[in-house]
Amino acid sequence: MKEWRYRLNERRSTLMAAGIFLVMFAIYVSNHPAGLTANVVQTAANKGVLLAFVAMAQTLVVITAGIDLSVGMIFILTNALASWIVLGTAIETAFGVIAVLATGLFCGALNGLIVIYGRLQPIVATIATGAVFFGIALLLRPFPGGSVNEELADIMTGKIFGTVPASLVALAAIVLIIWVPFSRSVIGRTAYASGSSETAAYMSGLPIRRAKFTAYALAGLLASIGGLFLTFFTFTGEAALASGNAYTLFSIASVVLGGVSLFGGKGSAIGAIFGALAFRTIGDLLFVFDFDPLWQPLFQGVVLLVAVSLGAFGLFRVRNRLEWFG
Amino acid sequence: MSNAAREEPVSSLPKFVRRLDPAIATAFGCIILLLIIGSFYSTSFLSPEYLLQQLKVASFLGVIATGMMIVILLGQIDLSVPWSVAVGGMMACAAAAYGPAGEMLAIPFGIVCGMAIGLANGIGVAYLRIPSMIITLATNAVAQGLMVLYTGGFSPQDSATFAMRYLATGFLLPGIPNAVLIWAVIGAGTVFALTRTTFGRSVYGIGNRESAAYLSGINTRRIVLIAFIASGALSAFGGGLLAGYASKAAQSMGDAYLLPSIAAVVLGGTSILGGRGSYLGTVAGVILITLLQSILSVMQMPEAGRQIIYGVVIIAMLLLYGRGPANR
């Protein structure tokens, strides 16, 4: 009878992220000179989905109580790669897309191998692999350039039936294809369990290693989907250290805004997606309020700082000071 | 556990070869290997002038890695290094625009700005219990935002003062660059603080198990706060020296120091989980990284290759001796 209350409670952080996004977007649209038109939504969606894909990637790893500081670099690397090979006839383009996604999957799997079987700390391991991925991206695209199959790019960045942005549909499709099966499978449940308590998960006989490996590999795949979309939007590839780092940073911010616990075991990719869309909208708010664009990095930094500090409210519930140290 | 660091770096090397940590021995072995490889590429590689020049370049990384090491010993990490370095350099140069008094206070002002970043990190980690890599990433973003605003919104003064140039490139003692002297002084101070003071013991204690350190009466939150402030100050000081070396400050000047500073500490045998490591190892790590960079530039390796080799070397060496325990 009270089943819905449990379900509501379970999804509270996701719903909160969705709520924050809707409020932000409402403020944004009502102050936008053009108002709520299909074009405004399309532009916002196209900017938002890039971060949403990377945030989704970060979520998978964060759920296992790890962190992937190379997602931004996988994103940049696959962008650079896509600007070389997603070209030509339909078949060539299809193979190009597959190769780009496989590269992302491989990069993620490499992270997983090093972290799980090499037993290195995720943070140092992924900073180092991030440097490698960035180096390869630099080899591929030392200067901005390249191109992409324009027909495909137009389809993916356009509107379906003149109203719904195709990029949002693609995002929803990826959620259905990757996130929903993952979160409902044994592997996904194990990822949550090992993020919550690895020892307990191990004692219960769950396949921890396989689950963590899958999480890292899928994170690479999702980041490469983001990289592919970046190529669709910009028609170029570019190895830029700054934007790679920015995407890594913003993915963590989105995850936090989306109610995913950085200590692992809690949260959903849907929340992180809304977190990403909200974070992007917050950045765009400065423009509709006519702020100098120079304020944007500071504003985003402060939002990030406030978002990560919100977790500190948990300290008010601490009864024993030893709980400080987890 | 940290007994290997009881001596001053370099000067007393022969005495404790017997007690040398395997990680430090490996790092020094790699340094010798790199020197041999380098001498194949260029005959001047082993000349005293060239090696002294390398040591001078290494000292900037050495100062920055010192702060990183203290934080890593706690079991935390400081990812705000890139923009702490930039803030240190840029704010020191900015202060120089305010007449002779500003020029005198340039370096201290830069350091104070770095300490402010460290203070924010320390409050976040010690009192708000935010994971250090998250809060330091956030303060890094805020520092970047402030600097973008500063350089874009106001007219920046970006040339270094005479004092900064002198500290980075001058010679107080004939033959020994000032930067090396500064690193030696900071290194000696750090060795003293880590091995002879309560602060140092507490740092190792907290790194081993924070709750145990707390129960044994250590004010763990204050120690963590101080460590992060020290890290911010040292990063900013490193930035000031770098600005003096290049005689100007630039926005992205710190980006090239995050990975090397972590790598230098970890390659020197300090556990990334905290509680274990010695300053001598960090010195070895810093020299190792600098020589690696130097050889790659002698080989005229493009930036892409350097990034790849960096990442691969760090992962390979970590796999050799930086692995975590198997928890089953």
Side-chain angles (χ1 to χ4, degrees):
Chain A
M1 180 187 163
K2 294 286 172 64
E3 176 68 18
W4 62 273
R5 273 181 51 192
Y6 291 111
R7 289 187 171 262
L8 192 69
N9 217 16
E10 218 176 274
R11 291 180 169 68
R12 201 176 49 191
S13 57
T14 304
L15 289 173
M16 198 122 100
I20 293 173
F21 165 67
L22 286 177
V23 171
M24 289 294 162
F25 196 70
I27 299 175
Y28 173 71
V29 166
S30 58
N31 286 286
H32 197 285
L36 182 64
T37 63
N39 282 335
V40 171
V41 175
Q42 182 196 8
T43 314
N46 285 356
K47 272 166 74 181
V49 291
L50 293 179
L51 185 58
F53 280 124
V54 183
M56 215 167 138
Q58 189 68 265
T59 310
L60 291 181
V61 176
V62 166
I63 280 174
T64 69
I67 194 140
D68 189 345
L69 294 184
S70 70
V71 277
M73 294 308 172
I74 299 178
F75 174 76
I76 293 295
L77 166 62
T78 48
N79 166 236
L81 182 65
S83 71
W84 279 107
I85 60 174
V86 182
L87 271 177
T89 62
I91 305 257
E92 284 169 350
T93 305
F95 273 114
V97 168
I98 291 170
V100 167
L101 299 184
T103 306
L105 192 65
F106 175 77
C107 290
L110 188 70
N111 280 335
L113 280 180
I114 294 172
V115 169
I116 297 153
Y117 296 96
R119 298 203 303 265
L120 297 188
Q121 282 292 300
I123 179 162
V124 192
T126 53
I127 287 182
T129 55
V132 176
F133 300 152
F134 175 65
I136 300 172
L138 262 183
L139 281 182
L140 289 170
R141 282 272 169 239
F143 307 104
S147 56
V148 70
N149 186 328
E150 293 189 14
E151 281 171 47
L152 180 62
D154 284 342
I155 294 173
M156 299 311 272
T157 58
K159 288 175 294 223
I160 295 175
F161 309 127
T163 45
V164 186
S167 53
L168 274 190
V169 176
L171 180 64
I174 297 299
V175 168
L176 286 177
I177 296 169
I178 296 182
W179 170 250
V180 172
F182 175 81
S183 62
R184 303 201 167 182
S185 65
V186 175
I187 294 284
R189 289 284 133 198
T190 308
Y192 275 101
S194 69
S196 179
S197 165
E198 191 159 338
T199 320
Y202 175 70
M203 298 282 184
S204 337
L206 292 172
I208 301 179
R209 291 181 164 194
R210 216 175 342 135
K212 282 172 124 183
F213 180 75
T214 311
Y216 277 94
L218 285 181
L221 176 65
L222 286 168
S224 71
I225 296 173
L228 197 57
F229 265 86
L230 178 63
T231 328
F232 290 152
F233 296 143
T234 61
F235 289 73
T236 56
E238 183 184 4
L241 184 67
S243 59
N245 280 336
Y247 268 92
T248 304
L249 182 65
F250 294 166
S251 75
I252 295 171
S254 313
V255 158
V256 173
L257 280 176
V260 181
S261 166
L262 290 167
F263 296 103
K266 253 184 241 157
S268 82
I270 318 279
I273 288 171
F274 280 115
L277 297 176
F279 191 71
R280 265 290 143 86
T281 316
I282 292 170
D284 286 342
L285 276 180
L286 286 177
F287 292 110
V288 293
F289 285 116
D290 267 345
F291 264 73
D292 197 319
L294 283 170
W295 284 87
Q296 202 186 15
L298 179 63
F299 192 65
Q300 284 177 327
V302 170
V303 168
L304 179 57
L305 196 60
V306 171
V308 298
S309 303
L310 290 182
F313 283 121
L315 291 178
F316 291 129
R317 289 198 299 270
V318 164
R319 301 278 169 121
N320 181 339
R321 284 179 186 171
L322 272 179
E323 286 177 24
W324 281 341
F325 310 112
Chain B
M1 283 218 196
S2 58
N3 288 344
R6 286 220 176 271
E7 318 288 328
E8 304 258 314
V10 188
S11 62
S12 53
L13 196 65
K15 245 198 285 179
F16 65 41
V17 168
R18 278 164 287 154
R19 292 194 301 173
L20 209 54
D21 191 321
I24 300 175
T26 315
F28 274 114
C30 291
I31 290 174
I32 294 168
L33 192 70
L34 282 181
L35 284 175
I36 295 170
I37 295 173
S39 64
F40 286 129
Y41 272 94
S42 160
T43 43
S44 63
F45 205 86
L46 293 177
S47 69
E49 297 81 33
Y50 187 79
L51 291 180
L52 217 52
Q53 166 71 18
Q54 290 309 301
L55 212 52
K56 183 166 100 180
V57 175
S59 54
F60 305 120
L61 178 59
V63 170
I64 296 166
T66 304
M68 183 65 90
M69 183 200 177
I70 301 174
V71 169
I72 289 182
L73 278 177
L74 289 170
Q76 310 283 1
I77 200 151
D78 187 351
L79 299 182
S80 67
V81 158
W83 284 92
S84 300
V85 169
V87 163
M90 291 167 81
M91 287 296 107
C93 292
Y98 295 93
E103 231 168 270
M104 282 238 306
L105 291 175
I107 295 175
F109 180 66
I111 293 177
V112 166
C113 292
M115 287 170 86
I117 298 176
L119 180 71
N121 289 334
I123 291 175
V125 175
Y127 293 89
L128 303 181
R129 306 302 306 172
I130 302 166
S132 57
M133 71 181 147
I134 309 301
I135 180 80
T136 53
L137 272 176
T139 52
N140 191 47
V142 171
Q144 177 179 11
L146 286 171
M147 288 301 106
V148 166
L149 208 55
Y150 163 71
T151 49
F154 316 93
S155 65
Q157 150 89 3
D158 68 347
S159 53
T161 63
F162 172 75
M164 285 156 71
R165 276 183 230 146
Y166 179 71
L167 282 183
T169 59
F171 291 88
L172 181 66
L173 301 175
I176 301 173
N178 283 344
V180 178
L181 277 184
I182 291 172
W183 184 24
V185 169
I186 288 178
T190 308
V191 170
F192 178 79
L194 285 181
T195 58
R196 294 273 187 271
T197 62
T198 336
F199 171 77
R201 288 288 124 196
S202 311
V203 166
Y204 281 99
I206 293 171
N208 271 307
R209 188 167 275 273
E210 192 168 2
S211 49
Y214 172 76
L215 286 177
S216 58
I218 295 170
N219 188 342
T220 58
R221 298 198 289 185
R222 196 168 59 201
I223 301 283
V224 172
L225 184 69
I226 293 171
F228 272 97
I229 292 175
S231 176
L234 286 166
S235 295
F237 184 46
L241 288 178
L242 273 172
Y245 182 61
S247 49
K248 68 187 188 67
Q251 280 211 19
S252 54
M253 61 192 283
D255 285 353
Y257 283 87
L258 176 64
L259 182 58
S261 64
I262 298 174
V265 173
V266 176
L267 292 183
T270 300
S271 164
I272 191 77
L273 299 172
R276 194 160 49 82
S278 72
Y279 194 74
L280 183 68
T282 302
V283 172
V286 167
I287 295 175
L288 183 57
I289 296 272
T290 309
L291 280 180
L292 186 66
Q293 279 174 335
S294 167
I295 287 181
L296 293 177
S297 69
V298 167
M299 288 164 69
Q300 301 190 328
M301 177 70 73
E303 177 66 16
R306 284 184 214 195
Q307 294 274 349
I308 296 172
I309 292 176
Y310 249 15
V312 171
V313 165
I314 289 158
I315 288 178
M317 295 198 65
L318 282 178
L319 287 176
L320 267 182
Y321 56 77
R323 303 180 73 188
N327 64 339
R328 49 204 61 156

